Amino acid sequence: MAPHLRKQLVVVGHGMVGHRFVESAISRGLTETYDITVIGEESRPAYDRVALTSFFEVGDKALSFLPTGQYDDPRVTLRLGTEVVAISPRQRVVTLSDGEDLAYDELVMATGAAPFVPPVPGHDLENCFVYRTIEDLEAIRTAAKKAKVGAVIGGGLLGLEAANALHQLGLETHVVELAPRLMAVQIDDMGGRTLNRHIDGLGLTVHTGAMTEAVLADKKGRVERLALKDRNPLDVDIVVFSAGIRPRDALARAAGLDVAERGGVLVDESLRSSDEHIWAIGECAAVHGRMYGLVAPGYDMAEVVVDRLLDGDGEFTGADMSTKLKLLGVDVASFGDAHGETEGSLELTYQDAVSGVYKKLVLSEDGKRLLGGVLVGDAEAYGILRPMVASGMELPENPEELILPASRGGLDLEMPDEMQVCSCNDVTKAQIKHAVSDESTLNDGSPCADAVCVTKHTRAGSTCGSCKPVVKKIVEDYFAATGKAVDKSLCEHFAMTRQELFEVVAVHGYNRFDDIIAGHGSGRGCDICKPAVASILASLLNHHVLDGSNRILQDTNDAYLANLQRNGTYSVVPRIPGGEITPDKLIVIGEVAKEFGLYTKITGGQRIDMFGARMEDLPAIWKRLVDAGMESGHAYGKSLRTVKSCVGSTWCRYGVQDSVGLAIELELRYRGLRSPHKLKGGVSGCARECAEARSKDFGIIATEKGWNLYVAGNGGAIPAHAQLLAGDLDKDTLIRYLDRFLMYYIRTADRLQRTAPWVESLDGGLDRVREIVVDDALGLGTELEAAMDKHVESYFDEWKATIEDPEKMARFVSFVNAPGVPDPNISFRDERGQIAPADSDGPVSLGTSIPVGAPQ
């Protein structure tokens, strides 16, 4: 080629990895030497396949990496809807589907992978789909409009994402997996069982150890039934194949390039193929014969090839195959040697079967290094644990504290600067700290001022997002250590605290999440800000949590006005104010429990909890209770739970005040009050404190002169005694102070912050609370009291409102398109004359460290 002409670089494929290659080529100056032509087979530019299921919620524009359809650099040309049909290595020419030939100096193949469809009879019937592109999802959505039941073949990462898609479309959904557990590559047996219970609880049916023999057709040639080996067939209308992927290497094979035994363009550590001018990256590449099916290794490969084309010596030496994602609302993570295959390795496990949490750490034989792990149900520690594997840092003296709940003493580890925080983009703690240091010029010549800026300029957290909490903590710790203001943003979508967001919503009178994020946030929200906004709206408006678009903001329990239990059933807790109940109401509770086969238990809050209710039975149970004069006890919500009481002066010879009467009055006043976290109260009729009032968020103890008001206490794993706010109060003053205290807490506390840590976090602590509540130092007293009066006046029973609304009632079915059909996966056993979940795994346990292969 003539020396005065610029070199030509052709990229075949414009998926996530191809796009990353082009971005890196531009930012690192490769376009100073090359003109780049990118050939994309799809009609749209690269988009986020990792978040593909969210397409139904946000559309294709929100997923796009290049919404304008072109790169800013004029030396990069993107041609969409075009296919490369042949490569001629000797001539260095690619032939396009329209017959055009493009010459190249260097060629980068980023053709990705294609879904593997098992060659079972009927796999090509109408209404059989794969799950890979936006076009696939559009086709599935169209078919779902006339379907009731769908099945996904494959229970791996993509299979569960596909199942989530069918579930979102309102189909009764089955997951068929050949392996004995879900996500067999990533998690172990117990992790699989825990995940299985979560998914069953959402109304999906999982069939593990099941082999698909055929897809059977009706008379019109459409899917009608799924035949399984040695099992009953499934009546289905849609089948989605998600049984793995295969490298798209047909172009390479036809061009005579070497391919790996199991598929993929065979490349060395430089990502160069058997032709010195052809490179392969992403899922189509087989580095020394191994294919990597995650996006993070593909990104690493893209950087290596850019480096090589800039005459560097970059090498791809393997990849971190760790994964963290939310599957059907369940956090799942796997990292390092998750299956404990290292000789002599030890396993340390934590299991909370009630909460659906399973955690396993794999340790070195001497117990000093972390080799890998599995997290299901709670993957918050992933951001710290995964980098510990890569760095080889020594474990703390008590490694079990790494997986214990924070309330039981979890560790706050200091990560070394050289530790890799983001494996997707190879970003270390030192790089994150540098981005916010005074020496940094990343942000238009200035240092970054928050974690969002750090992510933008270092890419830490920009791919899978699992390390974002760690990035944010590193930034905050650095600012705190250097005396800078710490960003307290609620999340990446709202650059304000919960308190600031509360004020914004109150001032503007918003009643929809979409309006709030459009006016004061960015993006489409997350599982941090959505429930927080739902709580704020409920506190301010006291509307039904299932009204309109706000329904999708709710946590699982609020979404069904009942507490989800470990086997997919729910518990029902009617309000029993102050623990006082008539014999007639007791009889109704007994009759309801007997009729619907429920387990009954008297709670510590002086109520009766009925467990084992199926979703479709909830409205009928509520109606029986409501007709008997009872109402929701809000045991499912971040709201007032109970106001516990002793019998007080009415019956007790030691009582000095009517504690039952006051407890009932307070519980009826504050019922339904939505707050940052749950609220509990107690009233004791004398100093003997039988109601345990000082272990509550607000506690009241009778005196000869009136009432002492205590605040900011709680029980639980880290108990806190409530502290005296004011003493010897008359009832009216007591209620006035309590109104102010609760409303001030609701307005200013952080999300999911109990009253005890909230008071501790205030500058001045309890003294500051006393200034505002008792002394009215800010002049807010009247305003706070008026807000509480508004709540009291607008209160309604959510159960009663639901059973009177046909639209809300339609939610309470196990299968959307088959109302009245109970979930066949729910079963019980007998225990002490009552029902109990059939799949009991025993109590919460910390496993013992056992060498792999040792007798057990």
Side-chain angles (χ1 to χ4, degrees):
M1 186 168 290
H4 67 278
L5 295 178
R6 288 168 53 80
K7 291 184 178 181
Q8 300 297 310
L9 172 62
V10 174
V11 181
V12 184
H14 194 237
M16 295 177 71
V17 174
H19 173 68
R20 176 57 172 269
F21 172 83
V22 177
E23 275 196 323
S24 181
I26 294 171
S27 65
R28 296 174 65 177
L30 190 60
T31 52
E32 297 296 328
T33 308
Y34 288 90
D35 286 334
I36 301 177
T37 301
V38 187
I39 309 299
E41 185 177 357
E42 293 187 59
S43 60
R44 51 175 56 86
Y47 52 88
D48 188 356
R49 293 188 198 273
V50 176
L52 192 57
T53 305
S54 64
F55 164 73
F56 293 132
E57 178 185 354
V58 303
D60 59 346
K61 293 295 184 184
L63 295 178
S64 179
F65 289 140
L66 201 65
T68 63
Q70 59 184 7
Y71 291 95
D72 293 335
D73 192 323
R75 294 161 294 192
V76 178
T77 302
L78 175 59
R79 299 178 61 169
L80 298 172
T82 304
E83 185 179 357
V84 174
V85 296
I87 300 172
S88 302
R90 287 189 178 182
Q91 291 78 26
R92 292 195 216 168
V93 168
V94 296
T95 301
L96 307 184
S97 50
D98 60 5
E100 181 183 355
D101 287 338
L102 287 181
Y104 66 83
D105 292 285
E106 301 291 336
L107 176 68
V108 177
M109 298 187 67
T111 50
F116 170 68
V117 178
V120 296
H123 69 271
D124 53 355
L125 289 174
E126 183 180 346
N127 281 5
C128 281
F129 303 97
V130 294
Y131 184 86
R132 186 68 173 172
T133 68
I134 287 178
E135 283 74 15
D136 293 333
L137 265 68
E138 288 176 331
I140 292 171
R141 179 169 59 185
T142 299
K145 294 177 181 178
K146 298 180 179 180
K148 292 183 178 181
V149 185
V152 176
I153 311 300
L157 293 173
L158 287 177
L160 294 179
E161 288 287 353
N164 189 26
L166 296 186
H167 185 60
Q168 286 184 9
L169 291 170
L171 300 186
E172 176 188 335
T173 304
H174 296 264
V175 180
V176 179
E177 169 57 42
L178 181 61
R181 63 177 180 273
L182 297 174
M183 289 183 66
V185 175
Q186 289 82 16
I187 61 179
D188 59 9
D189 286 337
M190 186 53 71
R193 291 175 63 186
T194 304
L195 177 60
N196 209 105
R197 283 196 298 272
H198 277 291
I199 294 176
D200 282 344
L202 294 172
L204 286 77
T205 305
V206 177
H207 309 266
T208 52
M211 177 183 290
T212 302
E213 289 191 320
V215 183
L216 306 177
D218 60 13
K219 294 180 180 179
K220 296 182 179 180
R222 294 176 299 196
V223 172
E224 181 182 47
R225 189 172 290 113
L226 194 65
L228 305 178
K229 185 177 182 180
D230 300 327
R231 302 196 186 194
N232 293 329
L234 303 177
D235 293 328
V236 298
D237 307 301
I238 288 176
V239 172
V240 179
F241 289 98
S242 189
I245 55 176
R246 296 292 185 269
R248 296 185 64 192
D249 57 11
L251 280 174
R253 291 176 184 271
L257 300 180
D258 292 346
V259 294
E261 182 178 349
R262 300 185 65 181
V265 183
L266 191 63
V267 294
D268 59 18
E269 60 276 358
S270 71
L271 287 313
R272 195 190 304 268
S273 73
S274 54
D275 183 286
E276 63 176 333
H277 298 288
I278 299 179
W279 316 74
I281 57 177
E283 293 167 331
C284 71
V287 186
H288 295 301
R290 180 180 179 183
M291 175 204 175
Y292 295 84
L294 297 176
V295 68
Y299 283 177
D300 290 343
M301 294 179 194
E303 296 292 342
V304 169
V305 175
V306 171
D307 189 65
R308 286 284 175 163
L309 293 174
L310 289 169
D311 297 325
D313 56 1
E315 291 187 350
F316 181 81
T317 56
D320 182 358
M321 298 299 286
S322 301
T323 55
K324 175 183 178 290
L325 62 163
K326 188 180 285 289
L327 295 167
L328 294 153
V330 184
D331 285 322
V332 181
S334 170
F335 55 95
D337 181 12
H339 295 288
E341 296 174 349
T342 304
E343 184 176 356
S345 60
L346 312 174
E347 292 188 359
L348 185 65
T349 63
Y350 167 81
Q351 182 189 355
D352 183 347
V354 176
S355 300
V357 173
Y358 170 73
K359 303 179 183 181
K360 179 182 78 173
L361 298 183
V362 179
L363 313 181
S364 59
E365 189 172 8
D366 59 7
K368 292 183 178 180
R369 289 190 306 108
L370 181 62
L371 303 179
V374 172
L375 307 171
V376 179
D378 175 12
E380 186 176 353
Y382 173 82
I384 291 291
L385 296 175
R386 185 203 52 73
M388 290 178 66
V389 175
S391 70
M393 69 178 287
E394 188 166 325
L395 289 168
E397 184 175 347
N398 300 308
E400 69 275 9
E401 295 184 6
L402 292 169
I403 53 174
L404 283 171
S407 61
R408 292 178 62 175
L411 290 180
D412 184 12
L413 289 178
E414 178 63 30
M415 300 168 61
D417 283 356
E418 64 275 11
M419 180 179 285
Q420 183 191 63
V421 174
C422 178
S423 61
C424 294
N425 298 288
D426 190 21
V427 183
T428 65
K429 178 183 177 182
Q431 290 172 290
I432 294 170
K433 289 172 61 177
H434 175 74
V436 294
S437 69
D438 292 336
E439 294 79 24
S440 174
T441 58
L442 285 177
N443 188 28
D444 295 328
S446 303
C448 285
D450 53 38
V452 174
C453 175
V454 171
T455 294
K456 177 181 177 182
H457 292 288
T458 68
R459 290 177 170 163
S462 64
T463 303
C464 73
S466 63
C467 62
K468 279 188 175 181
V470 181
V471 174
K472 188 171 186 288
K473 185 176 187 305
I474 291 171
V475 171
E476 291 181 352
D477 289 349
Y478 181 83
F479 283 164
T482 55
K484 295 183 179 180
V486 177
D487 176 27
K488 295 294 184 180
S489 298
L490 178 66
C491 67
E492 65 181 284
H493 303 104
F494 286 100
M496 59 185 79
T497 64
R498 179 195 175 276
Q499 178 183 355
E500 292 166 339
L501 184 59
F502 187 101
E503 296 301 326
V504 164
V505 175
V507 168
H508 290 274
Y510 290 123
N511 57 26
R512 295 175 65 251
F513 177 83
D514 291 348
D515 296 333
I516 299 169
I517 200 167
H520 306 277
S522 62
R524 55 183 185 265
C526 63
D527 54 5
I528 293 176
C529 61
K530 286 182 177 180
V533 168
S535 173
I536 290 171
L537 290 173
S539 297
L540 286 169
L541 305 176
N542 201 24
H543 61 192
H544 200 299
V545 295
L546 301 185
D547 279 345
S549 61
N550 293 327
R551 174 184 59 79
I552 63 174
L553 306 178
Q554 308 300 329
D555 286 327
T556 303
N557 292 337
D558 278 305
Y560 293 99
L561 309 181
N563 279 354
L564 179 65
Q565 303 300 316
R566 53 173 298 180
N567 67 337
T569 61
Y570 292 81
S571 67
V572 177
V573 187
R575 186 168 300 286
I576 303 178
E580 182 180 87
I581 188 169
T582 65
D584 287 341
K585 289 181 179 179
L586 273 175
I587 290 170
V588 170
I589 290 175
E591 289 174 343
V592 168
K594 190 171 183 179
E595 178 180 339
F596 290 92
L598 307 178
Y599 169 85
T600 53
K601 174 80 169 62
I602 298 175
T603 74
Q606 299 180 333
R607 303 197 287 192
I608 298 175
D609 201 340
M610 292 175 278
F611 293 82
R614 295 174 181 267
M615 183 194 298
E616 62 270 16
D617 290 337
L618 288 174
I621 294 172
W622 297 338
K623 188 175 190 309
R624 290 285 303 279
L625 297 172
V626 168
D627 289 346
M630 286 177 272
E631 63 182 16
S632 167
H634 290 95
Y636 48 83
K638 299 293 186 290
S639 57
L640 178 77
R641 298 292 176 83
T642 63
V643 181
K644 186 176 181 179
S645 73
C646 64
V647 295
S649 58
T650 305
W651 290 93
C652 180
R653 58 197 175 104
Y654 298 109
V656 294
Q657 302 286 355
D658 179 11
S659 55
V660 178
L662 180 59
I664 292 173
E665 183 175 352
L666 293 178
E667 186 160 343
L668 294 179
R669 181 172 183 80
Y670 302 133
R671 59 186 171 178
L673 181 64
R674 299 282 170 163
S675 52
H677 211 300
K678 62 185 175 184
L679 288 168
K680 295 183 179 181
V683 183
S684 287
C686 72
R688 285 175 171 78
E689 241 281 73
C690 295
E692 302 167 328
R694 290 197 63 192
S695 66
K696 312 299 182 188
D697 295 282
F698 61 90
I700 298 149
I701 301 178
T703 70
E704 295 288 347
K705 299 179 180 179
W707 305 95
N708 286 345
L709 173 58
Y710 296 83
V711 296
N714 61 251
I718 306 179
H721 271 298
Q723 304 172 70
L724 181 65
L725 182 68
D728 293 330
L729 304 174
D730 61 73
K731 190 178 75 170
D732 290 343
T733 303
L734 168 76
I735 292 175
R736 187 166 67 252
Y737 287 173
L738 195 47
D739 284 355
R740 294 176 181 181
F741 171 78
L742 292 174
M743 276 302 172
Y744 185 52
Y745 161 66
I746 289 170
R747 287 190 177 190
T748 61
D750 200 358
R751 57 178 290 272
L752 302 181
Q753 187 176 40
R754 291 292 296 270
T755 55
W758 166 68
V759 169
E760 186 179 344
S761 71
L762 295 174
D763 187 11
L766 183 66
D767 290 337
R768 181 58 175 167
V769 173
R770 188 176 290 112
E771 289 175 0
I772 293 166
V773 171
V774 178
D775 303 333
D776 198 14
L778 297 180
L780 293 174
T782 302
E783 183 180 333
L784 296 173
E785 292 166 27
M788 186 62 77
D789 287 340
K790 179 182 177 183
H791 162 76
V792 175
E793 292 167 3
S794 61
Y795 171 78
F796 63 92
D797 176 28
E798 289 176 339
W799 286 355
K800 185 174 186 292
T802 299
I803 59 180
E804 292 175 349
D805 187 334
E807 183 178 346
K808 294 184 176 67
M809 285 283 286
R811 290 179 47 76
F812 294 90
V813 292
S814 286
F815 303 114
V816 174
N817 289 307
V821 178
D823 187 342
N825 295 298
I826 294 175
S827 58
F828 301 96
R829 59 187 170 85
D830 181 85
E831 185 174 89
R832 296 183 298 277
Q834 295 202 78
I835 63 166
D839 59 339
S840 175
D841 288 313
V844 174
S845 64
L846 268 176
T848 305
S849 298
I850 304 173
V852 174
Q856 299 181 33

